[in-house]
Amino acid sequence: MRLRVEFTTEPFDLDEAPAHALVAREVIEVAELDAVDVGPFGNTVEGGADAVLTAVDALLRRTLEAGATRVSLQLNVIGEGDR
């Protein structure tokens, strides 16, 4: 099974990336994912279910520890033609 997750962490800071955003990027960059798109207002990752769910667990735990007050995410099961 393949999964796609779109997520954001808050609070936003337009002047400087907050610690929780930097942690989120770090978690995603080291995860064994097939596709990663990191942006200022939203991020998308794709991969096998185990890799994505492991990354989401780490993302939630570490960003909350780093000061995130909200993490919004949407998870979708995708097929090979949904890329």
Side-chain angles (χ1 to χ4, degrees):
M1 177 184 315
R2 290 187 51 76
L3 302 175
R4 177 184 299 132
V5 175
E6 299 173 48
F7 70 90
T8 58
T9 61
E10 296 179 43
F12 295 117
D13 184 340
L14 296 177
D15 296 327
E16 182 177 329
H20 58 81
L22 298 176
V23 166
R25 178 175 283 192
E26 177 184 306
V27 167
I28 295 308
E29 287 178 347
V30 300
E32 296 181 19
L33 301 166
D34 300 334
V36 175
D37 182 19
V38 177
F41 299 108
N43 309 284
T44 304
V45 300
E46 290 184 17
D50 286 340
V52 170
L53 294 173
T54 297
V56 167
D57 178 67
L59 174 82
L60 292 172
R61 292 175 189 278
R62 295 200 45 214
T63 57
L64 292 171
E65 290 171 359
T69 57
R70 178 185 299 205
V71 180
S72 302
L73 65 88
Q74 178 176 333
L75 182 137
N76 293 294
V77 175
I78 58 173
E80 291 301 316
D82 293 337
R83 291 183 180 198

